Amino acid sequence: MDSTPPPPIRREAWEGCSVLLDINDGDRLAFFRLTPGATVKIGNKTCSLQPLVGRPFGSLFRLGADGLVPCAAGDATSRDHNTRDGADGQTQDETRDNRSLVDNNTAQNLSSDDIEAMKRDGATGDEIVEALIANSSTFGNKTVFSQEKYKLKKQKKYAPKVLLRRPSARSICETYFKKTPARIGFMRVDTLSLLLSMANIGAYSDVLVVDMVGGLVVGAVAERLGGTGYVCSTYLGSAPCSIDIIRMFNLSSDMVSRIVQAPLSDLCSMHSSGNTPSLLNGGAEGEMVEPAVVPDEDAQASVAQQVDTAVSDEKAQLSTDQPTDMEVSEPSLDEHPVQDENSSLDGKGSDGNLNASKSSKAGKAPSPEKMKYWKEHGFSSLIVAAPGHEVEHLVADLLPLLSYSAPFAIYHQYLDPLAKCMHSLQVSKMAIGLQLSEPWLREYQVLPSRTHPHMQMNAFGGYILSGIRIHNTDCMIANK
Amino acid sequence: MTMVPLDPSSKPTSQRLITEGDTVVVYERHDAMRAVAVRAGGVLQNRFGVFRHDDWIGRPFGSKVFGSCGGGGKAKAKAGGGGFVHLLAPTPELWTLVLSHRTQILYIADISLVVAYLELVPGCLVLESGTGSGSLTTSLARAVAPHGQVHTFDFHQQRAASAREDFEKNGLSSLITVNVRDVQGEGFPEEHCGAADAVFLDLPQPWLAIPSVGSMLKKDGVLCSFSPCIEQVQRACEAMKTSFTDIRTFEILLRTYEVRDVALKSVTSEEACVGPLPQKRRMLTSPGENTGCTQRSSSILVRPCSTAKGHTGYLTFARLCV
């Protein structure tokens, strides 16, 4: 390494950064910005987030008398309950079962008044959990797994844990997919990963992006560019789509400066081919530009809720998790997973060089020089994520903006639009290596003698049409 | 030209023309491609004809080039006189499809998930063992370029040498260091202690290397272990418990679809109207559609391709405890 670039990843939370808090092992997932006044509400307690500043990502916190307190190093592993229990669990032959359990609500000898009294006397959450176990008449009869489950349930209530996670394309996509999948067009993290690979995203790429998934793709691409190349986010009509999700990434100012926005009409008119873009001269235009996607969005929201319910069912069965927050059904779908109302969105009032202030500068218009360069050289990749749109004509307009041999990846939540698009590309011979695919992702529980796929899996994470733009024979003949 | 650009000027654009020394991916069909080093006077012969490299030089990547006679017969006839191929700029994805298999390799679905879950970004330092045929290594290099580093280890001298040669040819030498080392026996070298952002293991007994991984990774850094068999996964997970957290095991497969423009026979056509089922269906069609029209216009139909990979391997990810 000739130069000494800054470390690619900051591994401690800093004042003003974006953080992902995982409360009680996935029960609640929310993004926060570590401004001086930022707080999180856990149970009925409002805690300042200041104790997180300077702590390494991956740190675990518990609720102390005065707010969040870092857990001792040994506790860190204890958050993997499902893997931890295995060692003792499997070695002893399990002979206990639930034959003698009677659900008559008399098993617990500790009353809620007793617990309140313990709290007043300054007992820690863990002590209360121990007391509950000691006073449970049925605990000893439970199986080891069932005992663990009981303990976890009580821990979540009386000794909540907060895990400080680093926002990255992976964790951001997972969080939105779990909480508000409609917001990101039901794009699962493995699908997003495939889009980035199939479109050959890497340093110095000039990536053309249509992002109607809230900025998830723009952010993920910017992360992969690492402050080199460009991500040019293009849009239909006159107003760009929201790319707010990029604020969840801790993009440096260098990286943010590489995000530009330009209307598709500008990009197409810069293209000298003389072909009038099919989308921009009547016909499909009204259909495309109208916010016809809004009712669609509503429909998706209700679907999203179902999906989330399914997720919470899974969690209940697996015993490691409780249902996720159901904030997805609430009206302000857009901003909900992000509770940064304490910080002004453009970073006013906080340190000037914070990412927050830079984020507001994302999406400037590209310079005329850049436009000229792209006109002559073409973009090196294309990713389209317009899950509420017909894409056949859109892609027909976008492909000529790519350099020859540039790969592209088109995302959709439905198969049909991609099939039509693929067919028309086959006919027009604008591209080769066309592949319509769908990733399938299954997670496993791995425990001694108890290894199997998770009982519930997400069955759908979106479809991808990928291919490579080629040098059109017609053009070649014309050139010669 | 390099497969992974190391500076803004080295990426393929529409202005970048094929020159001598370039590696091009010759695309015959989606399942028939090969990497060819372009040299003056060079000739490629395949079932589509005879192709002179000299005809390629000076053309943009992505060009369609025609072969002259002398090649194999039937495909050429089909193509109407001379067969053709496309000349593509190499990418890690294409490389995975054309590289010579010295070992079982990782394919795009696993590769993309590994890169995303390892949270690789430009500038990262990543360790890999074994190197194998270098399929994943190439994608790791793209993810950490231009200033990051991939240190890859294989205990097989010959394989390491071949991989090194490939990386050299693809212009990746400044990003990838190939080492001969038995990581299962010796662990990773001390010099990377506490310096790795991510580690990838594809070893027959990954659990032997996991203690070493623990000392290589930065806090909160991610480990991935790829194993085809569940027994390997189980032992690896056991070994991870002491110093790793967030241990998750996945299996990822890619289902592909074929798209056809098909004219399905209408149930109203004479010959279709036999048996009880079509009759029943006919009642559902509106009378207007029935009259005179026995052939429906074609439509775009999709179905999954019938052959697919059923299993590649299990991917286990874990984070080093803070």
Side-chain angles (χ1 to χ4, degrees):
Chain A
M1 277 183 275
D2 33 333
S3 58
T4 49
I9 295 173
R10 288 183 74 169
R11 297 203 174 266
E12 283 96 33
W14 63 94
E15 185 88 47
C17 78
S18 157
V19 298
L20 173 58
L21 297 190
D22 177 337
I23 299 164
N24 273 342
D25 214 1
D27 281 7
R28 239 179 104 196
L29 290 166
F31 294 98
F32 293 85
R33 194 165 288 286
L34 291 191
T35 52
T39 57
V40 58
K41 197 154 188 267
I42 297 167
N44 50 12
K45 221 164 175 181
T46 302
C47 310
S48 164
L49 292 180
Q50 276 304 295
L52 273 53
V53 173
R55 306 297 306 187
F57 288 110
S59 299
L60 197 62
F61 295 81
R62 61 182 176 82
L63 209 51
D66 304 316
L68 294 172
V69 186
C71 293
D75 295 359
T77 43
S78 72
R79 71 177 201 246
D80 290 309
H81 310 281
N82 54 343
T83 50
R84 187 187 51 153
D85 68 353
D88 354 321
Q90 50 104 32
T91 44
Q92 68 192 80
D93 266 338
E94 190 55 75
T95 51
R96 284 165 290 190
D97 54 36
N98 63 5
R99 77 184 73 201
S100 58
L101 287 188
V102 185
D103 187 12
N104 60 3
N105 236 351
T106 58
Q108 181 55 254
N109 297 320
L110 223 54
S111 71
S112 55
D113 289 343
D114 296 336
I115 295 168
E116 277 310 310
M118 283 181 75
K119 279 185 183 170
R120 274 196 304 276
D121 296 343
T124 68
D126 288 329
E127 284 164 357
I128 294 174
V129 174
E130 289 307 316
L132 283 166
I133 290 171
N135 286 284
S136 163
S137 58
T138 52
F139 188 80
N141 298 330
K142 290 173 192 273
T143 65
V144 176
F145 315 128
S146 166
Q147 284 177 347
E148 193 63 27
K149 209 161 154 181
Y150 177 88
K151 203 173 159 189
L152 260 173
K153 219 166 97 187
K154 298 301 174 193
Q155 251 168 12
K156 283 180 175 182
K157 188 163 177 196
Y158 297 102
K161 296 272 196 296
V162 177
L163 176 61
L164 171 62
R165 283 191 188 273
R166 190 173 64 85
S168 64
R170 166 188 170 178
S171 63
I172 292 169
C173 185
E174 282 184 330
T175 301
Y176 275 92
F177 191 76
K178 193 169 174 187
K179 296 198 57 174
T180 58
R183 175 100 159 86
I184 55 165
F186 304 92
M187 186 187 291
R188 209 169 49 202
V189 63
D190 50 318
T191 315
L192 175 62
S193 314
L194 273 163
L195 291 173
L196 298 170
S197 285
M198 286 169 162
N200 190 28
I201 308 300
Y204 301 117
S205 297
D206 284 330
V207 189
L208 182 59
V209 168
V210 176
D211 184 330
M212 298 190 187
V213 290
L216 178 68
V217 170
V218 168
V221 171
E223 193 182 81
R224 292 273 173 112
L225 294 180
T228 67
Y230 278 92
V231 43
C232 179
S233 171
T234 187
Y235 51 92
L236 304 161
S238 53
C241 300
S242 160
I243 51 167
D244 278 354
I245 292 178
I246 64 168
R247 293 181 303 127
M248 307 312 140
F249 292 79
N250 281 313
L251 300 176
S252 68
S253 54
D254 273 0
M255 292 158 96
V256 169
S257 71
R258 299 301 176 142
I259 300 173
V260 295
Q261 279 180 304
L264 180 58
S265 52
D266 284 9
L267 291 171
C268 288
S269 64
M270 88 180 183
H271 197 250
S272 56
S273 68
N275 297 334
T276 324
S278 57
L279 286 180
L280 302 169
N281 57 342
E285 184 184 15
E287 192 189 340
M288 297 298 297
V289 181
E290 284 303 308
V293 69
V294 171
D296 210 21
E297 203 76 46
D298 286 344
Q300 288 172 5
S302 62
V303 175
Q305 202 175 353
Q306 287 177 17
V307 171
D308 244 35
T309 313
V311 168
S312 54
D313 284 351
E314 170 197 3
K315 297 305 175 190
Q317 282 190 25
L318 290 175
S319 84
T320 55
D321 284 309
Q322 298 252 299
T324 33
D325 286 359
M326 299 298 274
E327 295 166 29
V328 68
S329 54
E330 292 177 24
S332 62
L333 190 68
D334 277 14
E335 283 305 314
H336 228 275
V338 183
Q339 305 175 357
D340 58 358
E341 68 273 9
N342 292 321
S343 62
S344 67
L345 300 186
D346 50 11
K348 278 175 212 141
S350 46
D351 191 338
N353 67 4
L354 293 180
N355 297 312
S357 60
K358 295 300 193 308
S359 296
S360 62
K361 286 185 201 155
K364 285 184 298 192
S367 67
E369 297 77 52
K370 237 28 252 185
M371 291 288 275
K372 182 167 179 288
Y373 177 85
W374 289 329
K375 174 185 168 183
E376 290 167 3
H377 295 259
F379 289 94
S380 46
S381 317
L382 167 69
I383 299 180
V384 177
H389 282 72
E390 173 276 326
V391 289
E392 185 181 351
H393 296 103
L394 180 59
V395 170
D397 284 347
L398 291 165
L399 280 196
L401 304 174
L402 295 187
S403 67
Y404 307 122
S405 199
F408 59 87
I410 319 297
Y411 172 82
H412 215 284
Q413 61 172 324
Y414 297 110
L415 190 53
D416 268 17
L418 292 183
K420 289 199 181 83
C421 184
M422 177 158 165
H423 182 256
S424 86
L425 290 175
Q426 282 168 338
V427 171
S428 71
K429 299 198 190 325
M430 285 175 85
I432 55 169
L434 292 167
Q435 180 176 276
L436 183 46
S437 57
E438 177 197 8
W440 179 92
L441 185 72
R442 177 180 250 188
E443 185 163 2
Y444 283 73
Q445 166 185 298
V446 179
L447 291 172
S449 313
R450 282 180 293 148
T451 296
H452 57 70
H454 282 185
M455 296 299 184
Q456 300 287 323
M457 68 180 268
N458 179 276
F460 178 65
Y463 300 102
I464 302 171
L465 171 62
S466 58
I468 296 170
R469 196 239 162 153
I470 52 171
H471 190 236
N472 239 323
T473 320
D474 304 342
C475 301
M476 210 169 77
I477 291 162
N479 287 347
K480 296 273 152 155
Chain B
M1 199 185 67
T2 62
M3 189 181 298
V4 172
L6 296 167
D7 58 75
S9 62
S10 66
K11 68 182 167 213
T13 76
S14 292
Q15 302 289 304
R16 175 67 170 78
L17 305 177
I18 295 169
T19 57
E20 184 164 13
D22 281 345
T23 296
V24 297
V25 172
V26 176
Y27 178 103
E28 297 174 17
R29 276 193 339 225
H30 72 281
D31 56 352
M33 287 178 245
R34 69 168 99 175
V36 175
V38 179
R39 54 190 172 80
V43 170
L44 170 74
Q45 186 161 0
N46 64 17
R47 62 191 144 164
F48 295 105
V50 178
F51 298 84
R52 293 170 54 237
H53 292 196
D54 292 343
D55 294 343
W56 303 352
I57 294 170
R59 286 183 192 263
F61 283 97
S63 290
K64 182 182 191 175
V65 290
F66 292 88
S68 56
C69 300
K74 45 186 179 179
K76 209 178 56 181
K78 207 169 143 195
F84 64 86
V85 296
H86 283 93
L87 307 175
L88 304 178
T91 63
E93 283 64 43
L94 290 173
W95 183 249
T96 290
L97 300 174
V98 300
L99 57 79
S100 40
H101 288 215
R102 298 178 284 267
T103 56
Q104 184 61 257
I105 66 163
L106 262 73
Y107 290 97
I108 186 165
D110 291 288
I111 291 174
S112 63
L113 194 67
V114 168
V115 173
Y117 265 60
L118 290 183
E119 300 180 330
L120 296 179
V121 295
C124 281
L125 188 144
V126 55
L127 308 180
E128 179 196 37
S129 185
T131 310
S133 306
S135 172
L136 173 69
T137 322
T138 304
S139 281
L140 296 177
R142 174 180 61 196
V144 303
H147 298 299
Q149 283 291 311
V150 183
H151 294 283
T152 183
F153 302 84
D154 204 301
F155 56 32
H156 194 286
Q157 184 114 33
Q158 181 66 48
R159 219 146 52 205
S162 304
R164 197 180 291 124
E165 237 169 75
D166 281 349
F167 300 145
E168 183 100 22
K169 270 190 263 176
N170 290 329
L172 302 173
S173 298
S174 66
L175 296 167
I176 304 171
T177 318
V178 185
N179 308 271
V180 181
R181 189 179 177 97
D182 174 15
V183 166
Q184 278 185 184
E186 304 170 67
F188 288 98
E190 286 301 310
E191 57 180 298
H192 303 304
C193 210
D197 292 289
V199 176
F200 178 84
L201 299 179
D202 180 356
L203 296 171
Q205 297 169 292
W207 53 91
L208 295 176
I210 284 168
S212 165
V213 174
S215 57
M216 296 299 127
L217 278 174
K218 293 176 184 170
K219 295 273 167 74
D220 203 40
V222 188
L223 157 68
C224 175
S225 176
F226 174 92
S227 298
C229 304
I230 201 72
E231 291 80 5
Q232 294 169 299
V233 174
Q234 253 165 331
R235 290 194 68 175
C237 286
E238 274 299 303
M240 288 177 197
K241 275 183 200 167
T242 46
S243 47
F244 290 85
T245 178
D246 239 333
I247 305 167
R248 298 176 72 185
T249 300
F250 296 96
E251 185 181 17
I252 183 169
L253 294 171
L254 205 56
R255 180 179 226 193
T256 54
Y257 292 84
E258 54 187 40
V259 173
R260 294 253 173 81
D261 193 354
V262 202
L264 293 179
K265 284 182 191 136
S266 166
V267 288
T268 58
S269 73
E270 296 303 309
E271 56 270 68
C273 291
V274 280
L277 193 63
Q279 298 244 337
K280 216 172 174 183
R281 279 219 189 124
R282 184 158 59 168
M283 284 161 31
L284 297 172
T285 27
S286 69
E289 280 174 347
N290 280 346
T291 47
C293 128
T294 51
Q295 255 187 335
R296 268 189 45 190
S297 59
S298 65
S299 48
I300 312 297
L301 298 178
V302 199
R303 71 173 191 195
C305 300
S306 45
T307 53
K309 281 210 171 58
H311 179 64
T312 55
Y314 301 100
L315 290 167
T316 301
F317 297 94
R319 262 172 208 288
L320 187 64
C321 289
V322 184

